[in-house]
Structures are given as C-alpha cells and as structure tokens.
Amino acid sequence: MVRPLARSGSTFLACACGVAAALLLVLGAGPLGAQQSPSAPAHTVQAALIAPGDSTLRGSRILADSVQYSLIAYRGEQQQTLGTAVDVVKLEMRGDVPVIHRVLTVSPGRAPLIDSTVTDARTLAPRRHRNVSSSRLISLDFNGKRVKGAIGPVDVPSLPIDTTLAIAPFDSGNWDLVVRSLPLERGYAARFRVYDTDSGLREYRIEVTGSATVLGEEAHVVIFTLAPKRESVVWIGKESRRLLQVETLIDANTMLRQVRLP
C-alpha cells in the first residue's frame, strides 16, 4: 500500500489536476511539491496570451458529457486508489446566453465534495462557482474583472470576497475547459490568467508537445504549467476534446494519475 499523502491546506482548488485537485482536497493530501515532470521540455515556443472572448476560443468544442475518473497514487511499483469522481457537463441557456454548466461530484468514501460552475459558452468567461465539502464552502460570482462571494470553513462565518482585478480572468477550477476550447496542435503554446481563491490572479501556461494514443483514442499531449517547476502532463482527445488523463509528480518518488474510466 502506498503511504498516505501528507495533510493539506486549502490550495487544491487551484491545482492543475482538476478532478484530482478536488479528490485531494477531500482526502486531505498536501499541496503538490515543486517538482518538474521529466517529460516536460524547456519553454522555447512563444505563448499567446488568451483572455475570455479571445477569437481562438471555441466553446462549441465542449460537448455535453458525463465522465468518471479514478485518481491513483504511484510510489515505485506500489499504487493506491485515492478515490473517484463524476464530471457532468450540461449545455444550457440562461436567458439568451448559452452556458456550460458543470457539476463535479467526488466520492472518496467519505463526505462527498460537490463543485458546480457556470461558464459563458461563447467567451469561456466564468459566471458562477460553488463548492461544498466537509471542510469548506466557496461561493463566487464573476462579472468581468469583478469577483464577489464568500469562502470559509463550514462551522464559522465565511470571509467575504469583493475584488476588482486588473484583467478579466478565467476560473482556475475550469482551466481544462479553456485548454480544450483552444486550437490545439503540435507546437501550439498559450498562457492565460485565472482567479484563484487562495492566491488571487495567477497565470497558467500550456504547450502541445506531441500526440499519443490513450484509452484507444488519439490525444494531444499537453504540458500544463501552474508556476515554475510545477507542471502536469495532460492528454486531451483530438476528436472528443475530453480530458483523458493527467499525470503530476508530487515528489521524487510519487506520481499522481487522474484517468478516465471506461
């Protein structure tokens, strides 16, 4: 059995692993260490800055879907299944605005975590983010550069949030929707700013380094960078634009894999 991962703080909702991030938050695992993936190349390609509404974004690449993931920690030849999650995407109309309504339900065998977001399908601009777990409540509403809401433990009054950022951000929890909406091809690189509840405005970067077959599907191989030496390798289906797999090094001996289940 893989030794349990260290206890954590609250940084996971902005972690690059998406579903893995939510699983780790519920399971109590610690924040990802500053480890660099051995397959990640040095950044030599100029990355375009993408903002909500950019002409290269195509929300139509995101389809209604229901996908289940498993999160597995590998330490040497040992492995430990940490939990599973169901990621449901619905395409809806809110008034005359088409939106992507996403609900992630994490079930690690303890109290479930439910993460719900609403994103403008035309621009990928975030509209709403709600997160409920056994330890923390998050409620955010986005309107361009302005973010309002509250965050806090479940048993004490929440801390209000009302901030106006320098630029209109994406939602850090929906980083993969942004990436899956971009014109991915080998050599393509982009960077984009997101709002993170723990650290405010941050910049993420992606670079498409090649392709591979994952779960029987041809996929883009993408290096996803949160910060210097904090990277994940992401596989995104070329036709389906599904998030198929994510791998992240936690430390020199431990790798975290998020993988779609059949």
Side-chain angles (χ1 to χ4, degrees):
M1 167 108 21
V2 175
R3 288 174 294 162
L5 302 177
R7 295 293 300 174
S8 110
S10 60
T11 58
F12 273 98
L13 290 179
C15 168
C17 292
V19 174
L23 282 163
L24 285 170
L25 179 62
V26 175
L27 289 162
L32 298 181
Q35 299 293 326
Q36 185 170 355
S37 168
S39 59
H43 296 314
T44 58
V45 179
Q46 184 175 1
L49 179 61
I50 305 299
D54 191 279
S55 61
T56 62
L57 290 167
R58 294 285 186 275
S60 59
R61 293 183 172 117
I62 307 299
L63 304 178
D65 206 356
S66 179
V67 181
Q68 187 174 11
Y69 293 96
S70 179
L71 185 74
I72 306 169
Y74 295 86
R75 180 174 281 114
E77 297 182 355
Q78 297 179 319
Q79 69 180 63
Q80 177 188 5
T81 298
L82 301 180
T84 59
V86 176
D87 190 15
V88 177
V89 171
K90 296 180 180 180
L91 306 180
E92 301 175 350
M93 296 295 296
R94 300 290 172 96
D96 59 353
V97 177
V99 300
I100 301 168
H101 181 198
R102 185 181 204 178
V103 178
L104 170 68
T105 304
V106 180
S107 303
R110 298 170 59 183
L113 177 149
I114 300 175
D115 193 75
S116 174
T117 61
V118 175
T119 303
D120 190 320
R122 304 165 302 178
T123 65
L124 275 295
R127 293 291 180 242
R128 188 186 73 187
H129 192 147
R130 304 288 186 266
N131 183 282
V132 180
S133 71
S134 60
S135 60
R136 191 162 75 158
L137 302 176
I138 296 175
S139 175
L140 298 175
D141 292 291
F142 297 84
N143 185 5
K145 299 178 182 179
R146 192 172 186 185
V147 183
K148 295 182 65 177
I151 180 172
V154 296
D155 54 351
V156 299
S158 296
L159 177 68
I161 296 173
D162 189 348
T163 183
T164 300
L165 305 170
I167 64 169
F170 294 102
D171 186 342
S172 64
N174 275 337
W175 65 270
D176 68 298
L177 293 185
V178 178
V179 177
R180 291 157 60 192
S181 298
L182 289 169
L184 303 178
E185 60 181 16
R186 185 182 179 90
Y188 177 80
R191 55 195 177 94
F192 52 95
R193 282 32 176 313
V194 301
Y195 177 74
D196 170 61
T197 53
D198 297 309
S199 58
L201 198 63
R202 301 183 60 184
E203 182 171 288
Y204 291 167
R205 189 187 194 280
I206 63 121
E207 183 175 341
V208 183
T209 60
S211 62
T213 301
V214 177
L215 303 172
E217 184 174 351
E218 281 296 302
H220 297 288
V221 181
V222 181
I223 302 301
F224 186 92
T225 304
L226 292 89
K229 296 186 179 181
R230 292 193 63 184
E231 297 173 326
S232 295
V233 184
V234 182
W235 287 262
I236 295 174
K238 290 185 177 182
E239 295 297 326
S240 69
R241 286 301 176 113
R242 278 177 167 174
L243 183 68
L244 301 177
Q245 185 169 291
V246 183
E247 291 185 354
T248 306
L249 289 181
I250 302 232
D251 55 39
N253 300 312
T254 305
M255 188 267 287
L256 193 66
R257 175 179 290 161
Q258 170 193 331
V259 60
R260 181 177 68 85
L261 295 174

